[in-house]
Coordinates of all heavy atoms in Angstrom, one line a residue:
W31 N 66.8 -45.1 81.7 CA 67.8 -45.1 82.8 C 67.0 -44.8 84.0 O 66.5 -43.6 84.1 CB 68.9 -44.0 82.5 CG 69.8 -44.3 81.3 CD1 69.8 -43.5 80.2 CD2 70.8 -45.2 81.2 NE1 70.9 -44.0 79.4 CE2 71.4 -45.0 80.0 CE3 71.3 -46.2 82.1 CZ2 72.5 -45.8 79.6 CZ3 72.4 -47.0 81.7 CH2 73.0 -46.8 80.4
V33 N 67.8 -43.0 87.2 CA 68.9 -42.1 87.7 C 69.0 -42.3 89.2 O 68.0 -42.1 89.9 CB 68.7 -40.7 87.3 CG1 69.9 -39.9 87.9 CG2 68.6 -40.5 85.8
K35 N 71.7 -41.5 91.2 CA 72.9 -40.8 91.8 C 72.5 -40.3 93.1 O 71.3 -40.4 93.6 CB 73.4 -39.7 90.9 CG 72.3 -38.5 90.7 CD 72.6 -37.6 89.5 CE 71.6 -36.7 89.2 NZ 71.9 -35.4 89.6
Y39 N 68.9 -40.6 95.2 CA 68.3 -39.4 95.8 C 67.9 -39.6 97.2 O 66.9 -39.2 97.7 CB 67.0 -39.1 95.0 CG 67.2 -38.6 93.6 CD1 68.2 -39.1 92.7 CD2 66.4 -37.6 93.0 CE1 68.4 -38.6 91.4 CE2 66.6 -37.1 91.7 CZ 67.6 -37.6 90.9 OH 67.8 -37.1 89.6
A57 N 71.7 -44.9 86.0 CA 72.7 -43.9 85.7 C 73.0 -43.2 87.0 O 72.1 -43.0 87.9 CB 72.0 -42.9 84.8
L59 N 76.9 -41.3 89.2 CA 78.1 -40.6 88.8 C 79.3 -41.0 89.8 O 80.4 -40.6 89.5 CB 77.9 -39.1 88.7 CG 77.1 -38.4 89.8 CD1 78.0 -38.0 91.0 CD2 76.4 -37.1 89.1
L77 N 75.5 -46.2 83.6 CA 76.1 -45.1 83.0 C 76.6 -44.1 84.0 O 75.9 -43.8 84.9 CB 75.1 -44.4 82.1 CG 75.4 -43.0 81.5 CD1 76.6 -43.2 80.5 CD2 74.3 -42.4 80.7
L79 N 77.3 -40.5 84.7 CA 76.8 -39.3 84.1 C 77.9 -38.2 84.0 O 77.7 -37.3 83.2 CB 75.6 -38.8 84.9 CG 74.3 -39.5 84.7 CD1 73.4 -39.2 85.8 CD2 73.7 -39.4 83.4
E80 N 78.9 -38.2 84.8 CA 80.0 -37.3 84.6 C 81.3 -37.9 84.1 O 82.3 -37.2 84.0 CB 80.2 -36.6 86.0 CG 79.0 -35.7 86.5 CD 79.2 -35.0 87.8 OE1 80.3 -35.2 88.4 OE2 78.3 -34.4 88.2
T99 N 80.2 -41.0 80.3 CA 80.0 -39.9 79.6 C 81.5 -39.3 79.4 O 82.4 -39.4 80.2 CB 79.2 -38.9 80.5 OG1 77.9 -39.5 80.8 CG2 79.1 -37.6 79.9
K123 N 78.8 -35.9 75.4 CA 77.9 -34.9 75.9 C 78.1 -33.6 75.2 O 79.1 -33.1 75.1 CB 78.1 -34.6 77.4 CG 77.1 -33.7 78.0 CD 76.5 -34.3 79.3 CE 75.4 -33.3 79.8 NZ 75.2 -33.8 81.3
M128 N 72.9 -25.4 78.5 CA 72.8 -25.4 79.9 C 74.0 -24.8 80.5 O 74.1 -24.3 81.7 CB 72.6 -26.8 80.5 CG 72.5 -26.9 82.0 SD 71.4 -28.0 82.7 CE 71.7 -27.9 84.3
R130 N 76.7 -26.4 81.6 CA 77.3 -27.1 82.8 C 78.4 -28.0 82.3 O 79.5 -27.6 82.3 CB 76.1 -27.9 83.5 CG 76.4 -28.2 84.9 CD 75.2 -28.7 85.7 NE 74.7 -29.9 85.2 CZ 73.7 -30.6 85.8 NH1 73.2 -30.2 86.9 NH2 73.2 -31.7 85.2
L131 N 78.0 -29.1 81.7 CA 79.0 -30.0 81.2 C 78.8 -30.2 79.6 O 77.7 -30.1 79.2 CB 78.9 -31.5 81.8 CG 79.3 -31.6 83.3 CD1 79.2 -33.1 83.7 CD2 80.6 -31.1 83.6
M157 N 74.5 -37.3 73.6 CA 73.8 -36.9 74.9 C 73.8 -35.4 75.0 O 74.8 -34.6 74.8 CB 74.5 -37.6 76.0 CG 74.2 -37.3 77.4 SD 75.2 -38.2 78.4 CE 74.4 -38.0 80.1
T158 N 72.8 -34.9 75.6 CA 72.7 -33.6 76.1 C 71.7 -33.5 77.3 O 71.1 -34.6 77.7 CB 72.3 -32.5 75.0 OG1 72.7 -31.2 75.4 CG2 70.8 -32.6 74.7
H159 N 71.6 -32.3 78.0 CA 70.8 -32.2 79.2 C 70.1 -30.9 79.1 O 70.7 -29.8 78.8 CB 71.7 -32.3 80.4 CG 71.0 -32.4 81.7 ND1 70.0 -33.4 82.0 CD2 71.0 -31.7 82.9 CE1 69.5 -33.3 83.2 NE2 70.2 -32.2 83.7
F160 N 68.8 -30.8 79.4 CA 68.0 -29.6 79.2 C 68.1 -28.8 80.6 O 68.0 -29.4 81.7 CB 66.5 -29.9 79.0 CG 66.4 -30.7 77.7 CD1 65.7 -32.0 77.7 CD2 66.8 -30.1 76.5 CE1 65.5 -32.6 76.5 CE2 66.6 -30.7 75.4 CZ 65.9 -32.0 75.2
T188 N 70.3 -39.7 73.8 CA 69.7 -39.6 75.1 C 69.6 -38.1 75.6 O 70.7 -37.4 75.7 CB 70.3 -40.5 76.3 OG1 69.7 -40.2 77.5 CG2 71.8 -40.2 76.4
L189 N 68.5 -37.6 75.8 CA 68.3 -36.2 76.1 C 67.5 -35.9 77.3 O 67.7 -35.1 78.1 CB 67.5 -35.5 74.9 CG 68.1 -35.4 73.6 CD1 67.9 -36.7 72.7 CD2 67.8 -34.2 72.9
S190 N 66.3 -36.7 77.5 CA 65.3 -36.3 78.5 C 65.4 -36.7 79.8 O 65.6 -37.8 80.2 CB 63.9 -36.7 77.9 OG 63.7 -36.2 76.6
N191 N 65.4 -35.7 80.8 CA 65.3 -35.9 82.2 C 63.7 -36.2 82.5 O 62.9 -36.3 81.6 CB 65.9 -34.7 83.0 CG 65.1 -33.4 82.6 OD1 64.3 -33.4 81.8 ND2 65.6 -32.3 83.3
S192 N 63.4 -36.1 83.8 CA 61.9 -36.4 84.1 C 61.0 -35.3 83.5 O 60.1 -35.7 82.9 CB 61.8 -36.3 85.7 OG 62.5 -37.2 86.3
A193 N 61.4 -34.1 83.6 CA 60.4 -33.0 83.2 C 60.3 -33.2 81.7 O 59.2 -33.0 81.2 CB 61.0 -31.6 83.6
A194 N 61.4 -33.4 80.9 CA 61.2 -33.5 79.5 C 60.5 -34.7 79.1 O 59.7 -34.7 78.2 CB 62.6 -33.5 78.8
T195 N 60.7 -35.8 79.8 CA 60.1 -37.0 79.5 C 58.5 -36.9 79.7 O 57.8 -37.3 78.8 CB 60.5 -38.2 80.4 OG1 61.9 -38.3 80.2 CG2 59.9 -39.5 80.0
V218 N 65.7 -42.4 77.9 CA 65.3 -41.3 78.7 C 66.0 -41.4 80.0 O 66.4 -42.6 80.4 CB 63.8 -41.1 78.8 CG1 63.2 -40.7 77.5 CG2 63.1 -42.4 79.3
R219 N 66.2 -40.4 80.8 CA 66.9 -40.4 82.0 C 66.1 -39.8 83.1 O 66.5 -38.8 83.7 CB 68.2 -39.6 81.9 CG 69.1 -40.0 80.7 CD 70.5 -39.4 80.8 NE 70.5 -37.9 81.0 CZ 70.4 -37.1 79.9 NH1 70.5 -37.6 78.7 NH2 70.4 -35.8 80.1
P220 N 65.0 -40.4 83.5 CA 64.2 -39.8 84.7 C 64.8 -40.1 86.0 O 65.3 -41.1 86.2 CB 62.8 -40.5 84.6 CG 63.3 -41.8 83.9 CD 64.4 -41.5 83.0
G221 N 64.9 -39.0 86.8 CA 65.3 -39.1 88.2 C 64.2 -38.8 89.1 O 63.5 -39.8 89.5
I222 N 63.9 -37.6 89.3 CA 63.0 -37.2 90.4 C 61.6 -37.8 90.1 O 61.0 -38.2 91.2 CB 62.8 -35.6 90.4 CG1 62.2 -35.2 91.7 CG2 62.1 -35.1 89.2 CD1 63.1 -35.4 92.9
A223 N 61.1 -38.1 89.0 CA 59.8 -38.6 88.7 C 59.8 -40.1 89.3 O 58.7 -40.4 89.9 CB 59.5 -38.6 87.3
I224 N 60.9 -40.7 89.1 CA 60.7 -42.2 89.7 C 60.7 -42.2 91.2 O 60.3 -43.1 91.8 CB 61.7 -43.1 89.2 CG1 63.2 -42.6 89.4 CG2 61.6 -43.3 87.7 CD1 64.3 -43.6 88.9
Y225 N 61.1 -41.1 91.8 CA 61.0 -40.9 93.3 C 59.6 -40.3 93.7 O 59.4 -39.9 94.8 CB 62.1 -40.1 93.9 CG 63.5 -40.8 93.5 CD1 64.2 -40.4 92.4 CD2 63.9 -41.9 94.2 CE1 65.3 -41.0 92.0 CE2 65.1 -42.5 93.8 CZ 65.8 -42.2 92.8 OH 67.0 -42.7 92.3
P229 N 58.3 -33.1 88.6 CA 59.5 -32.3 88.1 C 59.2 -30.9 87.9 O 60.1 -30.0 87.8 CB 59.8 -33.0 86.9 CG 58.7 -33.7 86.4 CD 57.9 -34.1 87.7
Y358 N 63.8 -32.7 95.6 CA 65.1 -33.3 95.5 C 65.9 -33.2 96.7 O 66.6 -34.1 97.2 CB 65.9 -32.7 94.3 CG 65.4 -32.7 92.9 CD1 64.4 -31.9 92.5 CD2 66.2 -33.5 91.9 CE1 64.0 -31.8 91.2 CE2 65.8 -33.4 90.5 CZ 64.7 -32.6 90.2 OH 64.3 -32.5 89.0
Ligands
PLP401 C1 72.7 -35.8 83.3 C2 71.4 -36.0 84.0 N1 70.5 -36.7 83.5 C3 69.3 -36.9 84.2 C4 69.1 -36.4 85.4 C5 67.7 -36.6 86.2 O1 67.0 -35.4 86.2 P1 65.6 -35.4 87.0 O2 65.8 -35.9 88.5 O3 65.3 -34.0 87.0 O4 64.8 -36.3 86.2 C6 70.1 -35.6 86.0 C7 69.8 -34.9 87.3 O5 70.1 -33.8 87.7 C8 71.3 -35.4 85.3 O6 72.2 -34.6 85.8

Side-chain angles (χ1 to χ4, degrees):
W31 291 113
V33 179
K35 64 196 173 111
Y39 288 42
L59 44 86
L77 173 62
L79 290 165
E80 294 181 358
T99 301
K123 183 133 182 198
M128 175 143 176
R130 200 169 63 172
L131 295 182
M157 176 181 187
T158 197
H159 191 54
F160 296 123
T188 176
L189 293 92
S190 298
N191 57 0
S192 299
T195 303
V218 291
R219 306 190 306 271
I222 196 67
I224 58 176
Y225 302 96
Y358 299 73

